[in-house]
Amino acid sequence: MRKLVSAGEILVEIMAERIGQSFLEPGPLLGPYPSGAPAIFIGQAAALGQPAGLIGAVGDDDFGRLNIERLRALGADVSAIAVHKGHATGTAFVTYRADASRHFVFNIRNSASGLIETDGAATNLLASADHVHVMGSSLFSDRAIAVALSAIETVKAKGGTVSFDPNIRREIMQASGMRAALDHVLARADIFLPSGEELFLFSSAKDEKSAVDELLARGLSCIVLKKGAAGAVYHDRNGAVASSGFAVDEVDPTGAGDCFGAAFVSFWLRGAAPAEALRIANACGALAVTRKGPMEGIFPLEAVEAFIATGNTQ
């Protein structure tokens, strides 16, 4: 099977226990949980049996070891995750508001993640890659942008493909060069995986169909618009395919979109029909929200197929 690679932040997530809990005063916390959008993506892809590896950096600490061991256990290639003494693994503290929105406090750029580079191990991993997946959240510094763009060009030069999930976080949107980098990645992408209103960040259109048509005209092979619990819609030049979500009790939404994207891209790389790829992706996204912690709801393909067999669609 074709190998996919991603590059970017690796961190632990620590969560406020109570809804509406503020970080302006002491309160109970849960975690640490292994996390980072590209790490979640690669972990889910590997769990589905897709060859998958990650370029990134962690500190020589318990948080770094937690992430590497989790990814290794899921079957991911961790050979290009650098371990840096004297630097701490990245962190994300998250609290949930009463309206279900989330507030993050990140330490990514100034953590070990900020030392990401295309070193010898990363070069070797890319030599075996057929596909690169880019997360918008991974374009958090000039250095991280350089790694992502280099990976794209390396894989594109040998006929490979690229997928792009904007995964915009308000807390890091102001990073130097991020907007230009987002546009550059989109211009090189084959698959575009926006969530909801992210579609309109890259289009001047005011309605969904016009935005999709405008973006497809720029050369994308397909657009997969994620709609949360409602499912997702696949668009290409031949039309659209909609797929309903699955009914589950939500515990924690963090990582659901990353798991969805990993499943869709993995099955797209296997040549699956859009409806089949969406079915697996929606199931992975639904399962992801049933556990507390971004990577705790990652399941292997057999478990995903068993869940689908229950038929609990929205």
Side-chain angles (χ1 to χ4, degrees):
M1 285 191 285
R2 298 170 69 189
K3 187 169 189 175
L4 64 85
V5 169
S6 192
E9 69 278 15
I10 302 172
L11 50 91
V12 294
E13 193 155 310
I14 298 168
M15 304 176 179
E17 185 175 315
R18 300 191 304 263
I19 300 296
Q21 185 174 325
S22 171
F23 288 142
L24 296 176
E25 59 187 15
L29 301 172
L30 299 172
Y33 295 104
S35 189
I40 300 165
F41 179 96
I42 290 299
Q44 178 67 84
L48 294 172
Q50 195 70 28
L54 181 62
I55 299 168
V58 297
D60 185 15
D61 54 30
D62 288 348
F63 292 168
R65 285 184 281 277
L66 173 65
N67 273 281
I68 290 174
E69 291 308 314
R70 176 62 61 86
L71 287 168
R72 183 181 285 123
L74 290 169
D77 185 336
V78 298
S79 62
I81 299 177
V83 178
H84 292 277
K85 291 184 180 294
H87 295 271
T89 299
T91 56
F93 287 78
V94 59
T95 185
Y96 295 81
R97 300 188 176 105
D99 64 1
S101 65
R102 293 171 290 172
H103 169 63
F104 290 90
V105 177
F106 288 108
N107 177 26
I108 297 176
R109 189 189 300 207
N110 295 317
S111 73
S113 283
L115 301 176
I116 188 172
E117 62 179 341
T118 308
D119 58 12
T123 299
N124 289 339
L125 179 60
L126 288 168
S128 65
D130 304 289
H131 182 92
V132 171
H133 180 73
V134 179
M135 293 284 188
S137 62
S138 299
L139 306 175
F140 57 84
S141 69
D142 291 342
R143 186 168 182 150
I145 290 168
V147 171
L149 299 188
S150 174
I152 289 172
E153 297 312 316
T154 296
V155 171
K156 280 282 193 177
K158 53 182 179 176
T161 48
V162 173
S163 51
F164 174 42
D165 184 340
N167 195 40
I168 303 301
R169 292 282 184 267
R170 177 178 57 82
E171 290 86 351
I172 59 176
M173 189 59 188
Q174 302 307 313
S176 171
M178 177 174 268
R179 180 68 221 200
L182 291 168
D183 291 334
H184 185 103
V185 174
L186 180 64
R188 300 294 279 150
D190 299 278
I191 307 172
F192 183 42
L193 295 142
S195 294
E197 294 301 309
E198 288 178 343
L199 179 70
F200 300 102
L201 292 174
F202 301 89
S203 169
S204 59
K206 303 301 181 185
D207 65 275
E208 186 175 306
K209 183 180 185 307
S210 297
V212 166
D213 291 345
E214 178 187 331
L215 290 168
L216 286 173
R218 297 184 193 174
L220 289 163
S221 295
C222 65
I223 297 170
V224 182
L225 183 58
K226 294 175 284 181
K227 294 176 176 279
V233 184
Y234 168 96
H235 299 271
D236 64 18
R237 290 171 187 78
N238 298 316
V241 177
S243 181
S244 298
F246 290 85
V248 294
D249 293 327
E250 180 179 299
V251 175
D252 177 15
T254 307
D258 307 322
C259 290
F260 173 99
F264 182 86
V265 171
S266 294
F267 277 78
W268 183 86
L269 288 171
R270 299 178 198 186
E276 172 67 2
L278 286 174
R279 185 175 68 96
I280 298 293
N282 278 329
C284 287
L287 285 167
V289 309
T290 65
R291 300 288 189 274
K292 178 73 74 174
M295 297 177 72
E296 308 311 302
I298 290 177
F299 289 88
L301 183 57
E302 308 80 56
V304 175
E305 290 176 333
F307 169 74
I308 290 171
T310 65
N312 294 326
T313 54
Q314 296 279 10

